[in-house]
Each structure stands twice: as structure tokens, then as C-alpha cells.
Amino acid sequence: VCGYPVTTSYLPMPKKQDEFKQMLRYHAMRKVGAELWPDFVNNHTCPAEDCESTATLKVTSQCVDCRTPLCFMATVTTGLEQLAEEEVKEACKGLLIDSGWSQGRIFFTLGTTDSSSHGEDAVIEAVRSTVLQLRCIESVGIVVFAFHHVPEEEDDMKVCFKKLAFAPKYPAWHALWARLTDSTNSFQDCKYRCTLFRTGEHKWTSQLAMKWFGGNMQDATGWKPVMETYELEAIVYVTENHLINTWKLTGKQSLGIRSIPTTGPTTLKGSIAYAMARRAAIEKGDIVFDPMCGTGAITAEMVQAMLQPVAPLPRAHHCCSDVDSRCSRAAKENAYGLHIRQYIDVMQNDCTELPFRDNTVDVVITDLPFGKRVGSVRGIRELYPLALKELARIVCMRTGRAVLLTTQYKIALRSVTTMQPDVLWTIPDILKINHGGLTCAVICLTRNSKQWTPTPTKEKKTKQHNDPTAGQPEANEA
């Protein structure tokens, strides 16, 4: 909304992301920005009075053809940012101007070349029907302002927060936010809450920063701050060099959590299951199998994504199984409850002895047991090699692939690389993710061209002791 010349150092970019475009290139809003930032958009200096940085908020003229760009920021599970950005690019074709990502967040700008109100309506309708239906993200918000320089001193930061809080034209921002969220409350009756997330080292605390910004925002708007029954949440993200303010468009519950009738102690979050399905590159007509389905959350997520109108997955045949009868029964209940039973085959089988012929399954996607809530670390040391060997048998040679989620990735990789008599998998990619505070790995495997052969069994050799009576006839018992 407030534009400036953007460089690649705007957000901390990973080392391997040099090929991505410059982030937030079209961040300046031309038509809408003139309404939301009446005086502040022409400010060429930093809001902090004693700040050395100049031209930080300079309005750029790169967006000549665009009249209604809106910048959004979505939070995703750490490690799945690229998959989430691919989903945004697929779902927002025709309106996407630019996109980029940093750790745990993706940024994308939507706009049209139509300078009339129809262009703005098209963007808002796309947000309501497309962006809020994305399956890989956790939450999404509209970017109110992004500040490139964060003062080090406490007094400078206090002045900066005060001027940033009074800068936006809140009635226009609230009207735009209400259109995006279908809110019916008036500007005067808005209940809000401010939340701050801070990373890096600063000379001021998060409590002081939240007091400065939240208090000044209350003075500028006259809104009543509410901690629980709020309807608008203003989130401030602060790093060592950047400050971003977004207004959340989603509810209190994460979009990554799906509502299924039956859950278990290890039910996987829907956003992670969908990201695994996208990483597997499912093609039309593939046979997709989950050998350790639990309550069937992964299979249910893939089928729902296959049937949705926004960025659907290719049509494939989905089946799942579990060794526990209670899990297979729960998977059937979820399929019936979600009205997708006709698209799923649920079985009860041991993952080490599957009833499939050789080279019949195209894709395997599963959440391996971690050895914490289910099983033990000693048990999975025996389970992983047997399961991976059996999966290599049923998966098609050269084209078969598997996407596995586990915290015990060292055991899984050791099971792949030490497989006997031949190594049947190749490892093209490993994604480290943060799953509920646990460091997990999404291991991507590809079946090679080696022929599957049974694991040779080791014969037990009996020790022969030196018996002086060996070879002599036995004495008759008295």
C-alpha cells in the first residue's frame, strides 16, 4: 500500500531462492492506495524523526498498468512455502502480479488492468472465492503497510510506531476489509485485537512494541480492544530489518485444520496432507495408496482436493489401509461423513504384507509412526525397513514414488540406503518442516529400475561342541 523501491534484501531470502523474482515488486497501490493513504503515500522519509534511512516509503511508479493491486500475506507450515506458492500461482491465474516467500510466510499481489470499479470487484471476488479456499495455507491477511527499516533505539521505535499507527485511513481500510470478510458491523462498532510476532535482537521488548502500536491504533480509530470476542485482528510482524502489518481475513481457527467426524491421537493436519499430495505430483489415473492411514485424514484430504473447483488435484483412484481394525473403521466413518465414500477403498492390512501385485501402485503417501504416541523407537527400527521393502515391491518401477512424513528421518533414510540385497529407492528431495513444534521431514522417494527380490534370510548355525563320545554307540539304559 505504501510503495518503495524493492530489493532482494526486503525479506530474509533463503540461499537457494535466487531464481525467484524480487519480492513484492508491485506493492504500491495506485488507485486504492490514494484513498487509503491520502497524505502518507507521498512521504519520502522514514516515519521516525531521527532515522538515517531515507526514501524508505517512496512511492514507486513501476505499477503503471495496474490500478487495483492488493498485497496479501499468508502463513504456512515452515518448510512448505514453495508448495504453497505453487498453489497460489495455480489458483490465481490471470490476477496474480507477483509472489514470493520467506520462512513461514508467502506474499502475493493480485490486481487487474481495469481502472474502473469492476477491476476492484474482480480482485475482491477472487479473494473471497479463491484465496480463502486455498488448502496449503494456515491463515491469510491483507497487508496494510510494510516498513523496510526498524529503528534500533527505543525512543525512535516509539515514534515510528506512533506515526505508522496514525498513517492509514482506517474507514477506507475497514470498508475494504469488511468486503473481503463479509462483515456487517459498522466502523464505529468494530472490535479489534493487536498481536505482535517478533524475531531477532532489539533494544526494546515485544510488550513495549505492542503497547506502542496497539495504544496508538486505539487512539487513531476509537475502537474497543477485545481479547477474545474480537472480529478484526491486526497482526504486526517484526524482524531485525522489517515491519509488516496485516489485517487477518480468516477466522480464529487455522485454515489448515479440517473438520472430520472421527479423529485420532495422531490425525495429520489437512494443510500438511495437501502439501504432501502436491509434492507427489499425482497424475490423472494414478493409483494412490496410504498403507498406514489411521483415521484416513490424508486420503480424505486428497479426495476433497480432487473434487474442489479451486486448483483441484488430478483425478486418481485412492485407497488406504491400516493394521488396526479400529483405524480402518474410523477411516470408513470419515469417508461416509464427508460424503466421499464412493471415491475411497478402505482395507485392513499389515503394511509389511500388502495384498497388491508387484508394480501396481503409482504413488504412496503416508504418515509414518513417530514412535511417540503410537509404537516405540525400538519398534519402528524394525518396522521401517520391512515397510519400505514391501512398498518398493508394489510401487511401479521407474515411475513409482513415495512421500513419507516422519520425525525419525534418520532411521527412515538408513532403512532406504541399507536395503538388502539391493537399494530400490532414490531420494530426490527431503523437506524439513515444523509440525506442532516437532522437527519432521517429508521424505520424497522415487522407485529405481532394480528388480525387487526377497530379503535373504539368515540361517541359524548350530555350534558343534567337541564331544569325546561322538560317533560311539549309545549305551543301553539300565
Side-chain angles (χ1 to χ4, degrees), residues 172-223:
W173 272 112
H174 182 269
L176 177 62
W177 174 86
R179 292 184 63 185
L180 293 172
T181 58
D182 294 332
S183 177
T184 58
N185 292 340
S186 61
F187 175 78
Q188 293 78 10
D189 299 333
C190 180
K191 299 179 181 179
Y192 83 107
R193 187 181 82 168
C194 286
T195 306
L196 183 137
F197 297 96
R198 182 175 67 93
T199 59
E201 296 182 359
H202 303 91
K203 295 183 180 180
W204 35 269
T205 62
S206 301
Q207 290 79 6
L208 283 176
M210 198 68 265
K211 177 183 176 181
W212 297 332
F213 183 79
N216 290 318
M217 185 176 178
Q218 182 183 8
D219 295 338
T221 59
W223 292 342

Side-chain angles (χ1 to χ4, degrees), residues 14-31:
K15 296 181 180 179
K16 297 182 180 180
Q17 303 306 319
D18 297 337
E19 67 275 9
F20 281 91
K21 297 179 180 179
Q22 292 182 351
M23 195 173 299
L24 299 181
R25 183 178 177 184
Y26 298 98
H27 188 58
M29 293 179 60
R30 195 169 176 85
K31 176 176 178 293

Side-chain angles (χ1 to χ4, degrees), residues 79-152:
L80 303 178
E81 296 88 357
Q82 293 188 47
L83 298 173
E85 186 184 14
E86 292 176 2
E87 183 190 10
V88 171
K89 290 181 179 180
E90 182 180 350
C92 302
K93 288 182 179 179
L95 293 176
L96 183 65
I97 297 176
D98 203 358
S99 64
W101 62 271
S102 66
Q103 184 178 3
R105 306 182 186 100
I106 62 172
F107 299 84
F108 54 97
T109 307
L110 303 180
T112 63
T113 57
D114 189 356
S115 60
S116 63
S117 60
H118 298 287
E120 183 177 343
D121 295 339
V123 175
I124 293 176
E125 182 62 27
V127 173
R128 295 169 57 182
S129 61
T130 303
V131 175
L132 298 181
Q133 304 299 324
L134 298 175
R135 308 189 73 89
C136 205
I137 65 175
E138 305 293 335
S139 64
V140 62
I142 183 170
V143 178
V144 178
F145 60 78
F147 189 48
H148 183 64
H149 179 79
V150 178
E152 296 182 359

